[in-house]
Amino acid sequence: MEDLMEKIENKRKDRFLTVEIEHLVTKLEDEGLMNRTNFESKCDELYVLCYNYLKKWNNQHVNNLKSMLWITLAPKTIVNWENVKKSVIFIKTIMSNNVNFDEEMFFEQFKVFEKNFHQQNDEWHCQEIENKWIYIFKIFTDNNHSFFELLKVVEFSFVLPGSNAAVERVFSLMNSTWTNSRNKLDIKTVEAYLIIKTCFNNTSCEEFYDQILGNKSLLKQVHGSAKYVVKSTEKTLDSEGSED
């Protein structure tokens, strides 16, 4: 994030434009269609807007996400209560009230984990992160120690998306669904279709069929016309009468 913000700031300071854009701006200015000063001012405003947005996002989210870095178990010095406490504060602020989280129990489980973690050799620390956590939880199981509060925090960290690939897949799916030949689909219908395609990947056709077969209301809507946007092009009787 910091690298991207630095690139934006550098382009703003040096008023960077590609050669192609420079030629285009010069041509439009010569033709009297553009004022270079106004154009550069608008570019500067755009850079400032982007920079401030990233700065605000960075302050609100990145610092919170950094508090979860100890889950990676690298470097070894990152695993200590001071770092873990920050992640607990972050999780508590966004955790649903329906989720029970015992902080005292978590602290006790963390201390057991911390002790075993620092006893491991360098070869163990070179393993993949998931293998290390499997080993840690196996220690808890073998010694009849509860680890469910610790597991909640680890699971929370693991479900955080590492990229926007999932979002890109949804956009790709939408483009393949909402085509020129199927452009009358209602927005709500497309939304429902995308939800089904992304959330029922592990459901077989037979299972999905059994689920909807007994839902009479849903079947009625499937066969109805509410899923389409109908644009009426017919004239009303009043307008036809007035033309006569």
Side-chain angles (χ1 to χ4, degrees), residues 165-179:
V167 178
E168 293 294 338
R169 282 195 293 270
V170 173
F171 276 110
S172 177
L173 182 60
M174 182 183 69
N175 291 332
S176 64
T177 302
W178 212 352
T179 62

Side-chain angles (χ1 to χ4, degrees), residues 213-227:
L213 189 61
N215 193 328
K216 302 298 182 182
S217 176
L218 178 60
L219 292 175
K220 184 177 180 180
Q221 294 180 55
V222 169
H223 292 289
S225 60
K227 56 184 176 292

Side-chain angles (χ1 to χ4, degrees), residues 2-139:
E2 287 80 4
D3 291 342
L4 178 58
M5 293 172 64
E6 183 179 0
K7 290 178 181 179
I8 292 175
E9 182 62 14
N10 289 337
K11 288 183 177 180
R12 187 191 71 82
K13 288 181 178 179
D14 294 334
R15 297 181 178 180
F16 169 77
L17 294 174
T18 63
V19 174
E20 183 179 0
I21 297 298
E22 283 280 6
H23 289 165
L24 181 59
V25 171
T26 301
K27 178 182 177 182
L28 293 174
E29 189 175 32
D30 292 341
E31 295 175 356
L33 300 175
M34 174 184 289
N35 181 285
R36 176 178 285 272
T37 302
N38 291 339
F39 175 76
E40 291 178 347
S41 176
K42 292 296 182 182
C43 290
D44 187 80
E45 291 177 7
L46 177 62
Y47 281 129
V48 171
L49 179 65
C50 293
Y51 183 90
N52 289 337
Y53 174 82
L54 292 174
K55 182 179 180 180
K56 184 177 180 181
W57 196 96
N58 189 38
N59 291 338
Q60 289 184 347
H61 302 286
V62 174
N63 290 334
N64 287 331
L65 294 177
K66 284 182 178 179
S67 70
M68 306 298 297
L69 284 176
W70 68 272
I71 300 290
T72 63
L73 307 182
K76 291 186 287 186
T77 55
I78 201 173
V79 179
N80 58 70
W81 177 245
E82 284 302 314
N83 288 328
V84 174
K85 183 169 63 175
K86 297 175 184 177
S87 65
V88 173
I89 296 173
F90 167 50
I91 292 174
K92 289 286 288 186
T93 59
I94 62 176
M95 185 175 287
S96 170
N97 293 329
N98 297 325
V99 179
N100 294 321
F101 184 72
D102 190 325
E103 294 182 53
E104 292 187 10
M105 184 66 70
F106 171 77
F107 175 76
E108 294 176 4
Q109 293 172 9
F110 169 75
K111 297 308 290 185
V112 174
F113 151 70
E114 183 183 29
K115 177 182 178 180
N116 285 278
F117 172 78
H118 288 295
Q119 289 177 348
Q120 306 307 316
N121 56 34
D122 292 338
E123 182 180 356
W124 183 87
H125 285 285
C126 293
Q127 296 183 62
E128 296 292 334
I129 177 176
E130 59 270 22
N131 293 331
K132 288 190 282 189
W133 276 111
I134 290 173
Y135 181 84
I136 290 294
F137 287 129
K138 187 176 184 302
I139 292 177

